[in-house]
Amino acid sequence: DVKVTQSSRYLVKRTGEKVFLECVQDMDHENMFWYRQDPGLGLRLIYFSYDVKMKEKGDIPEGYSVSREKKERFSLILESASTNQTSMYLCASSFAGGFSYNSPLHFGNGTRLTVT
Amino acid sequence: AQSVTQLGSHVSVSEGALVLLRCNYSSSVPPYLFWYVQYPNQGLQLLLKYTSAATLVKGINGFEAEFKKSETSFHLTKPSAHMSDAAEYFCAVSSTDRGSTLGRLYFGRGTQLTVWP
């Protein structure tokens, strides 16, 4: 089974801090994604990456950046945390080989971030 | 562009009753469609996916979904609800645009299913 591991389940940070959320997958997937989940809004894509050192903005990239130095690891960075970034953050990965439009996403268990 | 609309943010059923969760999609090309389930304090798990092989798709835990192109729908059903089905369900459509959005999914806002004893 694919395992996507997010380093923290719960995180509390102060406004203005630089925050790192880490995600590691063990199935050699090319694609990796960061979503945030808020009640009533569903999942919104922040950034994604389809290869090492490659990244693309999703729908809500403002205030975030990402890093993918190794294929298995995809980091989300909050440059200066703000209270409106309090949310559940979900990492996901998927296979990109061949015709991959139907490759399902495999999700981690999420990191609930609170910014005070 | 792709989008998904889930009708009803909350659905409540009695144990043993039919479960029907509605999903309509918008896509300029034939889509690939997915249903995911999220149990409390967990990530999302794939329930089933439609990839044009058959319009009726069977998934895990007794769920199934039917792709209806004329209605642009992909509703999720289960004949008999169980208490363990209580969770949030998300419908998603795959981006089929070539290029940088390869592999991306667009999610609906989710439907919270409550099952009463």
Side-chain angles (χ1 to χ4, degrees):
Chain A
D1 269 359
V2 176
K3 193 168 178 67
V4 179
T5 303
Q6 294 184 231
S7 55
S8 304
R9 290 300 304 273
Y10 300 94
L11 213 50
V12 179
K13 296 292 181 180
R14 293 190 179 274
T15 301
E17 278 193 78
K18 190 168 185 176
V19 181
F20 293 85
L21 303 183
E22 306 288 347
C23 174
V24 177
Q25 50 93 5
D26 66 357
M27 280 301 289
D28 204 35
H29 283 167
E30 292 83 1
N31 297 335
M32 296 190 75
F33 305 81
W34 275 107
Y35 287 89
R36 68 175 279 177
Q37 182 181 13
D38 300 287
L41 297 180
L43 277 72
R44 292 180 291 169
L45 183 64
I46 304 172
Y47 267 98
F48 62 103
S49 168
Y50 49 90
D51 203 350
V52 175
K53 297 191 184 296
M54 305 300 287
K55 61 184 179 183
E56 291 240 357
K57 293 180 179 179
D59 298 321
I60 52 165
E62 296 77 19
Y64 303 94
S65 62
V66 290
S67 172
R68 193 162 180 206
E69 296 297 318
K70 293 185 178 182
K71 190 175 185 180
E72 67 270 19
R73 185 180 297 271
F74 192 36
S75 303
L76 179 69
I77 304 156
L78 284 67
E79 298 291 344
S80 177
S82 64
T83 55
N84 63 13
Q85 292 178 310
T86 291
S87 186
M88 169 71 88
Y89 290 87
L90 292 168
C91 176
S93 70
S94 69
F95 177 62
F99 191 58
S100 65
Y101 298 121
N102 61 0
S103 293
L105 299 186
H106 299 266
F107 283 85
N109 282 335
T111 296
R112 188 167 293 281
L113 173 68
T114 301
V115 182
T116 62
Chain B
Q2 287 80 11
S3 67
V4 170
T5 301
Q6 291 183 242
L7 298 175
S9 58
H10 291 84
V11 170
S12 295
V13 300
S14 298
E15 193 171 22
L18 171 71
V19 176
L20 171 60
L21 304 183
R22 299 178 186 273
C23 172
N24 289 88
Y25 69 90
S26 170
S27 176
S28 56
V29 296
Y32 292 113
L33 295 157
F34 304 79
W35 275 100
Y36 284 83
V37 60
Q38 185 180 33
Y39 298 103
N41 299 315
Q42 294 186 24
L44 277 69
Q45 302 175 30
L46 180 67
L47 264 181
L48 50 81
K49 67 178 184 181
Y50 166 75
T51 58
S52 77
T55 56
L56 184 62
V57 182
K58 294 189 183 298
I60 62 172
N61 301 337
F63 283 93
E64 62 183 35
E66 186 172 8
F67 173 69
K68 291 187 177 180
K69 185 178 179 180
S70 60
E71 299 176 9
T72 61
S73 69
F74 190 56
H75 302 331
L76 182 71
T77 60
K78 182 173 180 178
S80 176
H82 191 273
M83 297 290 288
S84 61
D85 294 327
E88 189 158 22
Y89 292 79
F90 293 91
C91 183
V93 61
S94 173
S95 168
T96 53
D97 294 329
R98 296 277 175 185
S100 62
T101 53
L102 185 68
R104 173 177 173 170
L105 295 189
Y106 295 83
F107 286 87
R109 294 192 173 194
T111 298
Q112 182 68 46
L113 176 66
T114 300
V115 182
W116 300 103

